[in-house]
Amino acid sequence: MIAHRNLGLVAAAATVLAAAPLSAIFERWTWLVQAIIAVAAVAAAAALARLGRTPTWVQVLAMVGGLMLALTWLFPSGDELLAVLPTPATFGHFAELIASSGEDMRSHSVKVPDTDPLLFVTVLGVGGVAVLVDVLSVGLRRPALAGLPMLAIYSVPVAVYVDSVPPVPFAIGAAGFLWLLVTDNVDRVRRFGRRFTGDGRDVDVWEASPLAAAGRRLAVVGLALAMLVPLAVPGMTAGLMSTLNSGAGAGFGGPGLGGSPGRVDLFAALSGRLNQSDVTDLVKVTTTEEKPFYLRFGVADDLRADGFRVRGPNGQRVTGDLPDPARRTLPGVERTRHRATVEVSRDLDMRLLPVYAEPVSFAELGSGWYYDPNLQIVFSNRENSRGRTYSFDYVRSTYTPQALRAAQPLPADLPLRAQQTVTPDVPEVRKLVAELIRGKRTEYDKVRAIYDYFSEDNGFTYQLNTEQGTSGEQILDFLENKAGFCQQYAAALAWMVRDAGIPARVAFGFTNGNRRIGDTFTLTNRNLHAWTEVYFDQIGWVPFDATPTYGVPGAARSAWAPNTDAPEESTPQPGAADTPDESDPSARPDRGPNQFEEGDDPAAIGGDGTPLRSAPVWPWFAALGVLAALALLAVPALRRLALRRRRSRPAPTVRTVDASAADSAGTDQPVMVVGADPDRARADAHAAWDELIDTLVDYRVRVERTETPRATAERLAGEPLRADSAAGTAVRLLGRAEERARYARDPLTGEPLPAALRTVRDALADQADRRTRLMATVLPPSVLHRWRTAVADTSARLVTSGGRLRYRLLRFSPRRLIANRAGR
């Protein structure tokens, strides 16, 4: 038992070492601490189970239980018992974490932040590997096979890394596997009793063996060759050895927009510092548009106390048909079609592609790229933007202030408004917003009032870093200090617009910069920018850039969002001549569906101006559930009906030519003699008897398997069918037919067995109570009994096969192969 405990501890330690490659995909080491706790719980549960000399399957259950306790303590839902005992709510919380991990995997690139969903699946995977390693190395004493689940951990960074995987974590994991193999062999030698060298000389247990030293040297040389040989293979690069912690990508967790060339963190922080020491060319774009707007690649719409964060995108392949906004025309909205070609440098490494808003078709992009029509971004789960060149057609939409002012407020129950107007509870911000929009009638006037607030007249300036405040809220610190760069302006404007009840989000991309040659713009990391997008009914997402223009090279301003620091003409107010008359239907734009998430919004506006309430969908799901339950309940009855029909098919007649009969009749014409096929008659008798037995089971009549057919028929005619002489005659006929089919040379032919079955079944149904008749029709006991028997037989066969497989695995030893080769 001591040896088993030592081997179990080494197996746990080897699992932790094998998880070292995961350090290449996480920003911090939280995952390692949690994984160690989970592996320790698994090892402790295994050790306790082995103290009682329990079988292997009990040890597996104990280890799974220990893992569940560790996961419950590390990722609680709040409904646990004694902080570690899981409840049904805990498993529901685990399911939510697993579902959310998929979105985080699509949203983040290496290195990823410490989100609960990603940490949960990581700890769950490492804990599961710990269970497998312990079972293989301690329970089955096959430590070599334990390398397969360890290798599965290494496959995770290999699958998500765009470039080469760092070599040092792999070497650490390999060292753990070698440690496990050495420990197992030492344990085997100690149990054998003595050690020896190649020349036959005995060696003390603790003395270094020349044979063991040679094995260690071979292991080290093999590991070194496995790491160095790929460098000499054509097509391989030195990326595996060039860095210990490589893997730049599109990060989504750290603050800073353009903090380092080639890496863009999509996070609209309300505080931070913008580092622009190095200048790197990232994108070249050629467009047919004279004055294009910003080239965008990301959107953040998940508002938290420290700023806007990114959600996981979801869309369709760019090779398919994309939505074309030019098909919808609205008064005051001009949509023009243009074409652009983008060349991404090798220094820009993201899972996103820079595009202009509202693309309608792409070229030179494969099926690995997707377009999210709601976020209006192009993304990929595996490919990156480095060195790509692609062309696309897009629609540029421009708006007049009058068209935006005519947009109606969104319905309160619209999913878009419910999702994109959520803000943290900061009463000071709500009070400021209420003061700014007081007296404003339209959505556009409210947005303009908030937008105009971020001006030099109100004390706002552009700085590359924000100042610390004392309020405890970052947005209050920014609104008090009134100094920052694009992230702060975009996030603060979107926050305040949301507080006004209007959907808003933060977009990321490039300004037009100041390096233009003809139709080609060269964009650098200093042109990275963030701005605000506001949703207007029937129009869509409209950009507003509140950052001071003097701090944004290549800034673009528009008629609906002018430069607040420059003199501008007076803007028509509500009630002026250019405001459409609400009472005049001709002055209002044609109403259509709100564009949200690739389709029509459920709260479409009706002809009378009232929002149409979408019908609830739960009745349809309830109806489908009821239909599915009824279909499931009908399966036994349908199975019984099909079996009865198959057994009741009449036997085919056989027509033969009888020459002797023609001679006796004195005619030259052949005489046809009609008879029954004996084999088919015997099969029909067996089928009729089987149907009789199933009918007796369905109507709960006692069946004696040891009786002969004649004895069973006489018993039925005397007990349950005594009152019905026709049924008694029919059951005797069935018994006689089965008896002849079993024992006689010639079976009984020419008798109406199906009619006799119907007579017996009708008589049994008349004598049974209502419940028995209902069960015989809906849930026939004969079918259920047959299914239970089939399941039991299948389970027994599986158990037997598993026992044989386990026996063969226990008897298998690689040493036999070595011995066989040596014998040859």
Side-chain angles (χ1 to χ4, degrees):
M1 296 302 296
I2 295 177
H4 279 186
R5 286 199 295 270
N6 292 338
L7 189 58
L9 294 177
V10 173
T15 303
V16 175
L17 294 177
L22 296 179
S23 62
I25 63 175
F26 277 94
E27 291 180 348
R28 300 180 181 179
W29 294 94
T30 308
W31 69 273
L32 180 59
V33 176
Q34 295 180 343
I36 292 175
I37 294 174
V39 174
V42 171
L48 292 176
R50 293 189 185 100
L51 287 177
R53 298 181 180 273
T54 58
T56 303
W57 65 271
V58 175
Q59 299 174 18
V60 173
L61 292 180
M63 287 186 284
V64 172
L67 178 60
M68 287 296 102
L69 294 179
L71 292 174
T72 304
W73 184 64
L74 292 172
F75 305 94
S77 64
D79 297 326
E80 289 75 21
L81 301 177
L82 302 177
V84 294
L85 298 180
T87 61
T90 304
F91 293 103
H93 177 58
F94 290 169
E96 293 177 359
L97 290 176
I98 294 176
S100 301
S101 65
E103 297 183 1
D104 286 353
M105 292 176 187
R106 292 190 298 268
S107 303
H108 303 288
S109 182
V110 289
K111 294 185 172 185
V112 299
D114 291 340
T115 64
D116 284 343
L118 293 179
L119 291 174
F120 176 79
V121 296
T122 301
V123 176
L124 177 62
V126 174
V129 170
V131 174
L132 292 176
V133 170
D134 189 276
V135 171
L136 292 173
S137 59
V138 183
L140 302 179
R141 298 309 298 267
R142 294 294 181 269
L145 296 179
L148 295 178
M150 292 182 179
L151 187 62
I153 298 180
Y154 182 71
S155 66
V156 174
V158 171
V160 301
Y161 246 74
V162 177
D163 297 321
S164 300
V165 180
V168 173
F170 169 73
I172 295 175
F177 179 56
L178 294 177
W179 182 19
L180 180 62
L181 294 179
V182 170
T183 303
D184 177 75
N185 280 275
V186 170
D187 176 64
R188 290 178 183 272
V189 171
R190 289 175 180 173
R191 294 173 63 184
F192 180 74
R194 63 190 180 92
R195 301 170 65 202
F196 58 91
T197 64
D199 55 4
R201 180 174 59 86
D202 291 345
V203 180
D204 186 75
V205 174
W206 300 107
E207 181 182 349
S209 170
L211 188 62
R216 286 191 290 269
R217 287 193 294 270
L218 289 175
V220 172
V221 171
L223 181 60
L225 290 176
M227 298 175 59
L228 297 177
V229 167
L231 299 180
V233 177
M236 295 289 183
T237 65
L240 184 66
M241 304 292 293
S242 61
T243 177
L244 302 182
N245 226 350
S246 63
F252 300 92
L257 190 64
S260 61
R263 181 181 176 90
V264 180
D265 294 324
L266 300 189
F267 172 60
L270 288 162
S271 64
R273 179 181 178 130
L274 185 61
N275 179 15
Q276 291 187 338
S277 57
D278 300 326
V279 179
T280 305
D281 293 345
L282 299 179
V283 174
K284 286 186 178 182
V285 56
T286 303
T287 176
T288 59
E289 187 177 3
E290 179 65 24
K291 296 181 179 180
F293 195 68
Y294 300 148
L295 191 69
R296 64 200 302 279
F297 54 76
V299 171
D301 57 2
D302 182 14
L303 177 57
R304 303 180 186 179
D306 56 347
F308 283 80
R309 297 183 180 271
V310 175
R311 299 179 188 267
N314 187 17
Q316 62 190 87
R317 298 183 189 274
V318 297
T319 55
D321 294 332
L322 303 183
D324 190 352
R327 298 173 182 173
R328 295 181 59 245
T329 59
L330 294 172
V333 179
E334 181 181 357
R335 306 186 192 273
T336 56
R337 195 181 185 99
H338 304 277
R339 185 170 183 81
T341 300
V342 177
E343 299 178 25
V344 183
S345 72
R346 299 288 299 177
D347 295 319
L348 182 59
D349 185 4
M350 301 189 303
R351 298 287 178 87
L352 305 167
L353 290 182
V355 294
Y356 289 113
E358 301 178 318
V360 294
S361 64
F362 285 89
E364 295 93 24
L365 285 182
S367 59
W369 291 95
Y370 298 82
Y371 175 66
D372 189 328
N374 176 36
L375 300 178
Q376 298 175 340
I377 64 174
V378 177
F379 66 96
S380 176
N381 297 326
R382 292 299 303 270
E383 302 185 37
N384 59 26
S385 61
R386 178 184 297 176
R388 288 193 175 272
T389 300
Y390 51 93
S391 301
F392 61 94
D393 294 332
Y394 67 97
V395 173
R396 171 67 187 282
S397 300
T398 57
Y399 319 93
T400 63
Q402 293 78 13
L404 298 177
R405 190 171 286 114
Q408 300 298 312
L410 295 175
D413 58 348
L414 185 68
L416 172 61
R417 180 172 179 177
Q419 295 172 4
Q420 303 295 328
T421 57
V422 176
T423 59
D425 186 15
V426 182
E428 294 83 354
V429 177
R430 287 203 174 97
K431 181 180 179 181
L432 174 61
V433 171
E435 294 176 356
L436 293 175
I437 65 174
R438 183 179 294 116
K440 308 299 181 183
R441 294 176 51 193
T442 67
E443 303 286 88
Y444 173 71
D445 290 328
K446 295 177 182 178
V447 176
R448 276 300 303 271
I450 302 173
Y451 174 80
D452 294 341
Y453 174 71
F454 296 95
S455 63
E456 286 185 344
D457 294 340
N458 292 321
F460 284 91
T461 59
Y462 183 88
Q463 291 184 7
L464 296 182
N465 62 291
T466 58
E467 300 178 5
Q468 297 296 326
T470 59
S471 65
E473 296 286 348
Q474 293 184 8
I475 187 172
L476 292 181
D477 294 340
F478 171 69
L479 294 177
E480 179 181 355
N481 299 326
K482 299 182 178 182
F485 51 97
C486 60
Q487 287 192 63
Q488 287 75 57
Y489 282 94
L493 175 60
W495 183 320
M496 296 173 68
V497 170
R498 284 190 173 194
D499 265 340
I502 304 172
R505 64 191 186 188
V506 177
F508 300 93
F510 295 90
T511 65
N512 293 326
N514 50 17
R515 295 171 57 186
R516 177 175 183 174
I517 301 177
D519 296 333
T520 301
F521 298 83
T522 300
L523 309 178
T524 69
N525 58 310
R526 290 195 175 184
N527 301 132
L528 289 166
H529 191 50
W531 63 95
T532 306
E533 293 181 343
V534 182
Y535 190 87
F536 289 92
D537 184 28
Q538 311 305 319
I539 295 176
W541 293 101
V542 179
F544 288 82
D545 188 2
T547 307
T549 55
Y550 64 84
V552 183
R557 291 296 187 263
S558 56
W560 67 89
N563 184 5
T564 57
D565 298 327
E568 61 174 303
E569 298 179 358
S570 60
T571 305
Q573 297 297 322
D578 60 348
T579 304
D581 186 3
E582 296 294 334
S583 62
D584 184 8
S586 62
R588 293 179 293 181
D590 296 334
R591 306 200 62 84
N594 295 313
Q595 301 301 311
F596 180 57
E597 293 186 357
E598 299 188 50
D600 299 344
D601 190 83
I605 305 300
D608 57 352
T610 60
L612 298 177
R613 300 288 181 177
S614 58
V617 296
W618 68 265
W620 295 100
F621 287 103
L624 290 176
V626 172
L627 291 177
L630 293 177
L632 187 62
L633 291 175
V635 171
L638 294 177
R639 172 60 180 166
R640 185 72 180 89
L641 180 61
L643 190 61
R644 182 180 300 138
R645 293 188 62 181
R646 187 172 68 249
R647 290 170 174 172
S648 301
R649 292 175 181 174
T653 58
V654 179
R655 302 178 182 270
T656 60
V657 178
D658 192 344
S660 60
D663 294 338
S664 61
T667 176
D668 296 335
Q669 299 296 329
V671 177
M672 302 298 298
V673 178
V674 180
D677 183 8
D679 294 335
R680 181 56 190 266
R682 185 175 285 107
D684 288 344
H686 292 325
W689 186 255
D690 293 339
E691 177 62 24
L692 174 64
I693 298 300
D694 285 349
T695 303
L696 297 178
V697 174
D698 291 341
Y699 289 101
R700 302 184 182 277
V701 179
R702 182 172 56 89
V703 176
E704 293 291 344
R705 299 290 181 179
T706 59
E707 290 181 339
T708 63
R710 179 182 298 181
T712 301
E714 292 298 333
R715 178 173 58 83
L716 295 175
E719 294 179 2
L721 301 177
R722 180 180 305 173
D724 194 332
S725 59
T729 303
V731 75
R732 289 190 179 94
L733 173 61
L734 295 174
R736 187 168 64 256
E738 176 65 13
E739 186 178 35
R740 290 278 298 272
R742 289 186 185 182
Y743 310 117
R745 177 178 298 178
D746 298 325
L748 186 64
T749 60
E751 298 294 341
L753 300 183
L757 277 174
R758 286 193 296 270
T759 301
V760 174
R761 185 167 54 250
D762 293 342
L764 293 175
D766 292 339
Q767 297 180 12
D769 54 25
R770 182 179 302 175
R771 181 178 180 277
T772 302
R773 291 196 299 270
L774 179 62
M775 294 298 296
T777 304
V778 179
L779 295 174
S782 61
V783 175
L784 300 181
H785 175 72
R786 188 174 289 107
W787 286 352
R788 286 195 298 268
T789 303
V791 171
D793 293 342
T794 303
S795 177
R797 287 194 297 269
L798 292 176
V799 171
T800 303
S801 301
R804 292 175 181 174
L805 178 62
R806 182 176 181 275
Y807 176 74
R808 292 177 181 177
L809 290 176
L810 292 176
R811 288 183 57 84
F812 174 76
S813 175
R815 296 176 181 174
R816 295 183 179 179
L817 301 177
I818 299 176
N820 292 337
R821 293 183 179 179
R824 293 178 184 177

